[in-house]
Amino acid sequence: MLQRILGAVLVIAGLAAIAFGVATATVLRESDTVVATARPVGDGTLVVTDPGVLDLVDSDVTVTASVPEGQEVTVVVGRDVDVLGWLEGDPYTRVTGLQDWDTLTTSEMLPEAPEGEEAEAAEGEEPEEVELPDPAGSDMWITELTATEEVSLRWNDRPGPWVLLAAGSGAAPVEEAEAAEGEEAPAEASDADAVAPTLELSWDREVGTPWLWPAVGLGGLLLLLGIVLLLLGRRKKKPGRGRRAGGGAAGAAAATPGTASSGPVGGSPAEPASPESPASPDAPASPFGSTTSAAAPVWTAPAAGAAAGAGWAATAGTSDTTVSAPVPAPADEGSTDGPEQGATGSSPEDPGESRTGTAPVPVAGRFSRRSTRLRRTRSAPEPAAEDGAQQDAAPASPSVPAEPPTTTTGSLPMLDGRPLTRRELRRREEERRADGQSGVGRAFRALTGQTPVVPPAPATPPAADDPPPISGRRAAAWRETWGFDATAARPDEQQDDHTDGRTR
Amino acid sequence: MTARNTRVARRTGAAVGLAAAAALLAGCAEELPTPVADEPFEGPVLTMEQETAVVQDVAGVLDKAAEENDPKALRSRVGGPALEVRKSQIKVAEERGDDSLVTQIPTDLRAAIIPTTETWPRVTYTITQPTENLEVPRMVAYQQESARDSYKLWSWVQLIPGTTMPNFADPEAIGSEEVAPDDDSLAVTPADAVARYADLVAKGTDDSEHADAFELPGESQDLVKRIQADARNVREAETFDTADGRYRLAFAARDDPLTVRTSDGGAVVMGVLDGNVRIDVEEGGTIPPLTETQSALLAGEDETNELYVEYTDQVALYVPPAGSEDPIRPLGYSHVAVAAANEIPKKRNTDREESEE
């Protein structure tokens, strides 16, 4: 029990880790772009980035400088020495780095020599007095852009401490004249409003997904571990209960489908219908088919009267477990090739599979689920079919064994090599159900969404040849149950034993 | 087995939990990068593109000023001696209605010499291709006086034919060092070199004490030969003696020449000489202007027995490094009259410790 809890925890943890890994690469993944804004401080009309700020996040940066409506803004990139030399004597806003991912840190820089000049600049905007520093037109810049209100500059970093200088150069209109007059535009009344531009730096950033694969890998590992633990738990359980209960918790879980689901399988004729046709052609080819068909009649014959002859699947469909149970079992037995048959016999649903696993179904019973389903679908038609003829058809298909549902039931009835009585079956069914409903196994299934794991090969595959006595006993029981003459059934029993032993 | 498994499982579970927590934390808190300034710039302060842009821009201004005969238009891109000379040339061109005497400065560069100076003023040289009518290449100096100034044409010289130019450092990778006018890593400080050259120009190789320090080009004409030849032509004119004529000339160097170091540790100095020529004859005689430029500068003033012409001469000298036995070599010059008068003024452009004949 504990083991299974642990297994479940591990499975959950594994899934969680995988989910986390995937999430880091999707939902939790950080944005591919970083956009940071620098707000100017102080009275200057200039904003300057420190060396290293332009390539802070990535070597490609897009700088957007904006000023209030109607004003002009200039952005230039130059060598740090040049820009600082150019700045001499003017207050400016210095951009020193990232404060957080959205904001750039800024600080106000005042001219070193606090002469009257500074006071003048600080008081700022005495219209006629102030000469706006305008970097436009200098020979020193590598790049220079001027525009009204907003200018956007792409800069691809190159070696060296490049810095960016942005300047609000006041009212825009007289652009031509200003340009012609050189870099120091004569102050105009409207220039008094000039303000430092707001900078917005945006980088593309490479966001790695460092956790994706580690997390997924770890999760997978945990998942695997959990599954193994669950398996071990199941397997351990089996010896104690497996034989009698036909699969303990797993069986219980399966039980639900066993009763209910087997119904749907066989019950819905529509579904099976199509698969059936392919099944029949296979029939002749398959060796099993022949054997089965040969054997099947023998077994079914007795049951025929009970309409079981029409098809085990059919009975399963009717959800009459008791009836169906015995029928399929023989069917299995009929096939000489125990394991293979078992595989085919394995029930469609996982539960069924598991059950077969615990009980008689041999290793082959754990073949791929798809084939199981295939079989199931094929088996389905049988219910519709009425006669022994069908029987031929059904078993005919080698892979098909229409028994899926039956297998489930088929495995159940065996107790000490003898079919269970109706009463026994019912009781066990109840047990199983109760068990399944309350059992941890069920809880697991709910948690993990996994069907019970198929246990490894039947723990102890019984010798191919079971001691006759057992089969004898079983046969006797069967005969007893069904009121047949003991001697008449004898030969078949041999066969039954054979398969039985194997399947078990 | 169960117990062990349990323990293992428990441990594993704990580990998983920790790992997940760590992952979450790590995912949330990516470190903010801090600015890291690259290595400081070394090398040229201008790229070749910028240099070319400067040259083009200057040429544009020169053209515009010449077309419009507007010397004021020069100011944004021309300064220093070049401005004086150019103004004069434009004025002369206007007077003559012909701009053939305006020095062309091609924009096709044969070489650029770009400085590494981080402070101001900064200077850059260029050497042009020959002009369209195959005049000799020019060596041109541009100066940026302060950080907020643009590079301005500061001076130019016509290279003396046959001159071998010294090598400069690679202008794109290394850049050239500027040398202060009083730098003593040279055989002679740049200022002294120009001053001595002025003396040589004024006095001629025979009379100047500095003649030995210079290696004048053998066949081609340099400024010294040119000035002396001009003087000789006048003095030796037949009527000049009979008219009791005097031909006096004076040259003086201006301070603060531009200097850029060459690969061999020497330097190329671009300096300016103020010069004037005073000619006078006996009373009653007249002296006609000797050149078209002079006549244009006189602008129709009456001829008198005196003639005064001022020159602003731009010169380029190669000065070898200190300790070298090599002589100073003139590389080029530009000899342009910038003023003329029909009387000799008391105050002249060479007024300082003037070396007069």
Side-chain angles (χ1 to χ4, degrees):
Chain A
M1 185 68 93
L2 196 55
Q3 216 171 22
R4 280 191 287 159
I5 293 178
L6 275 170
V9 168
L10 284 185
V11 166
I12 292 168
L15 290 175
I18 291 173
F20 171 75
V22 173
T24 56
T26 53
V27 194
L28 298 180
R29 193 171 177 216
E30 299 204 46
S31 160
D32 279 343
T33 49
V34 176
V35 179
T37 311
R39 305 214 166 276
V41 291
D43 293 321
T45 58
L46 306 169
V47 182
V48 178
T49 63
D50 270 6
V53 167
L54 283 181
D55 56 342
L56 199 51
V57 178
D58 186 63
S59 60
D60 280 320
V61 63
T62 303
V63 181
T64 307
S66 48
V67 290
E69 202 173 336
Q71 298 194 24
E72 199 172 52
V73 58
T74 299
V75 174
V76 305
V77 176
R79 297 149 36 97
D80 57 347
V81 193
D82 295 349
V83 172
L84 291 179
W86 189 91
L87 282 172
E88 219 165 55
D90 273 310
Y92 63 94
T93 298
R94 184 176 153 201
V95 180
T96 51
L98 278 175
Q99 185 174 313
D100 53 51
W101 282 113
D102 301 322
T103 321
L104 292 157
T105 41
T106 51
S107 61
E108 184 180 6
M109 300 298 285
L110 295 172
E112 282 168 21
E115 301 157 13
E117 198 181 345
E118 191 209 340
E120 189 186 343
E123 287 166 25
E125 335 298 345
E126 287 291 313
E128 267 89 14
E129 303 298 327
V130 180
E131 245 190 23
L132 276 180
D134 184 359
S138 171
D139 295 324
M140 300 186 293
W141 315 141
I142 289 291
T143 319
E144 176 185 323
L145 283 177
T146 302
T148 311
E149 287 173 40
E150 185 176 291
V151 63
S152 196
L153 170 83
R154 278 190 68 92
W155 172 251
N156 193 328
D157 193 50
R158 27 186 130 181
W162 297 98
V163 303
L164 176 131
L165 164 66
S169 36
V174 240
E175 199 178 345
E176 292 286 319
E178 270 180 14
E181 302 251 357
E183 55 281 347
E184 288 188 316
E188 294 163 16
S190 48
D191 283 352
D193 311 327
V195 294
T198 299
L199 281 192
E200 187 184 275
L201 273 61
S202 77
W203 296 272
D204 281 348
R205 151 170 76 165
E206 259 194 40
V207 183
T209 55
W211 291 101
L212 175 58
W213 293 116
V216 168
L218 183 70
L221 209 67
L222 290 176
L223 196 64
L224 213 67
L225 211 68
I227 289 172
V228 167
L229 273 182
L230 284 178
L231 275 181
L232 286 176
R234 158 79 40 72
R235 185 174 164 192
K236 243 182 131 191
K237 197 128 219 170
K238 200 174 54 184
R241 248 170 125 200
R243 225 164 243 205
R244 205 176 327 158
T256 346
T259 39
S261 86
S262 70
V265 174
S268 63
E271 191 191 48
S274 50
E276 185 190 8
S277 45
S280 35
D282 288 349
S286 76
F288 308 110
S290 54
T291 6
T292 314
S293 53
V298 183
W299 277 101
T300 43
W312 31 85
T315 45
T318 55
S319 86
D320 185 346
T321 2
T322 351
V323 177
S324 64
V327 176
D332 274 349
E333 290 160 10
S335 68
T336 355
D337 218 48
E340 196 61 9
Q341 197 68 16
T344 49
S346 69
S347 90
E349 295 296 77
D350 292 318
E353 212 173 335
S354 70
R355 188 181 306 160
T356 48
T358 29
V361 180
V363 186
R366 286 186 299 287
F367 277 169
S368 80
R369 191 177 292 178
R370 187 198 285 167
S371 63
T372 311
R373 171 169 292 169
L374 197 79
R375 269 173 250 132
R376 170 164 137 233
T377 42
R378 283 187 186 160
S379 71
E382 289 184 66
E386 295 254 26
D387 234 351
Q390 276 170 354
Q391 245 178 8
D392 285 1
S397 58
S399 56
V400 175
E403 310 85 351
T406 38
T407 337
T408 317
T409 43
S411 63
L412 281 176
M414 299 311 179
L415 178 61
D416 293 333
R418 113 192 117 77
L420 291 174
T421 60
R422 219 174 256 244
R423 184 174 302 165
E424 278 172 326
L425 275 171
R426 195 175 299 127
R427 196 181 57 230
R428 199 187 296 174
E429 189 63 64
E430 280 165 6
E431 261 177 34
R432 217 195 306 134
R433 213 171 293 166
D435 202 354
Q437 233 93 34
S438 61
V440 186
R442 188 178 173 75
F444 277 169
R445 229 160 286 128
L447 277 173
T448 60
Q450 295 267 329
T451 48
V453 189
V454 180
T460 53
D465 295 325
D466 258 355
I470 297 184
S471 56
R473 251 197 294 151
R474 248 179 95 194
W478 189 87
R479 277 191 296 277
E480 198 182 301
T481 310
W482 296 91
F484 281 107
D485 183 51
T487 42
R490 195 85 202 169
D492 293 320
E493 264 170 9
Q494 271 321 74
Q495 241 188 338
D496 176 18
D497 294 343
H498 188 78
T499 11
D500 192 12
R502 272 226 190 138
T503 44
R504 223 183 311 163
Chain B
M1 177 173 180
T2 318
R4 220 183 90 220
N5 268 2
T6 311
R7 235 178 293 135
V8 169
R10 222 175 258 156
R11 242 178 270 148
T12 324
V16 172
L18 281 177
L24 275 170
L25 285 176
C28 293
E30 192 179 329
E31 262 182 55
L32 282 175
T34 47
V36 179
D38 287 0
E39 292 289 308
F41 287 106
E42 285 175 2
V45 294
L46 289 178
T47 63
M48 278 305 288
E49 292 80 45
Q50 286 175 315
E51 177 86 358
T52 311
V54 168
V55 169
Q56 300 278 2
D57 213 20
V58 169
V61 169
L62 289 179
D63 287 347
K64 196 180 168 200
E67 272 173 34
E68 300 175 0
N69 289 325
D70 178 13
K72 280 181 193 162
L74 293 170
R75 287 192 175 279
S76 65
R77 278 299 192 179
V78 185
L83 182 60
E84 301 166 23
V85 173
R86 204 60 173 191
K87 271 182 178 172
S88 162
Q89 287 185 330
I90 289 177
K91 199 170 144 195
V92 168
E94 191 177 15
E95 189 69 31
R96 294 177 64 219
D98 174 13
D99 63 359
S100 61
L101 292 178
V102 176
T103 310
Q104 286 181 7
I105 299 183
T107 53
D108 291 339
L109 303 186
R110 175 175 287 181
I113 295 99
I114 302 180
T116 55
T117 326
E118 302 269 298
T119 56
W120 287 267
R122 295 173 175 175
V123 62
T124 172
Y125 292 168
T126 61
I127 296 168
T128 72
Q129 301 286 2
T131 62
E132 285 169 17
N133 39 8
L134 298 179
E135 290 172 18
V136 292
R138 278 71 159 122
M139 180 166 182
V140 187
Y142 299 86
Q143 189 193 43
Q144 187 187 28
E145 226 176 329
S146 78
R148 291 206 185 175
D149 282 317
S150 39
Y151 282 85
K152 292 179 179 175
L153 173 64
W154 194 82
S155 79
W156 75 81
V157 298
Q158 282 97 323
L159 292 179
I160 297 164
T163 297
T164 310
M165 283 298 292
N167 285 322
F168 289 92
D170 183 342
E172 290 186 75
I174 303 170
S176 302
E177 179 199 354
E178 252 177 82
V179 181
D182 57 354
D183 191 279
D184 57 4
S185 66
L186 301 173
V188 186
T189 67
D192 282 350
V194 179
R196 290 177 191 182
Y197 190 61
D199 185 66
L200 182 61
V201 167
K203 293 177 179 166
T205 47
D206 293 339
D207 296 325
S208 172
E209 52 178 325
H210 300 298
D212 291 345
F214 289 85
E215 180 191 71
L216 302 182
E219 296 169 10
S220 308
Q221 201 178 39
D222 81 318
L223 187 61
V224 178
K225 273 190 188 171
R226 165 92 178 262
I227 301 295
Q228 295 301 327
D230 284 350
R232 215 163 30 242
N233 284 342
V234 175
R235 285 171 183 154
E236 289 173 1
E238 281 183 26
T239 53
F240 191 68
D241 257 348
T242 56
D244 195 15
R246 283 191 299 167
Y247 185 101
R248 292 169 295 171
L249 50 85
F251 279 89
R254 282 192 203 171
D255 291 337
D256 298 334
L258 306 183
T259 311
V260 173
R261 198 175 293 283
T262 56
S263 303
D264 61 2
V268 170
V269 181
M270 292 196 68
V272 182
L273 307 183
D274 284 318
N276 59 55
V277 171
R278 290 156 285 156
I279 310 171
D280 61 288
V281 293
E282 60 185 355
E283 287 289 333
T286 58
I287 305 174
L290 304 176
T291 64
E292 290 210 26
T293 303
Q294 289 170 13
S295 64
L297 287 170
L298 283 171
E301 284 182 47
D302 293 337
E303 295 173 4
T304 66
N305 65 336
E306 288 184 348
L307 177 65
Y308 175 77
V309 182
E310 279 189 354
Y311 294 93
T312 298
D313 287 353
Q314 307 164 89
V315 298
L317 304 173
Y318 165 73
V319 182
S324 168
E325 298 296 316
D326 293 343
I328 300 172
R329 285 192 292 129
L331 300 173
Y333 69 93
S334 155
H335 177 62
V336 178
V338 294
N342 56 6
E343 58 179 340
I344 297 173
K346 289 265 183 291
K347 195 169 171 2
R348 299 186 286 267
N349 64 347
T350 50
D351 285 346
R352 30 203 167 207
E353 78 270 58
E354 128 190 306
S355 56
E356 202 170 331
E357 190 185 4

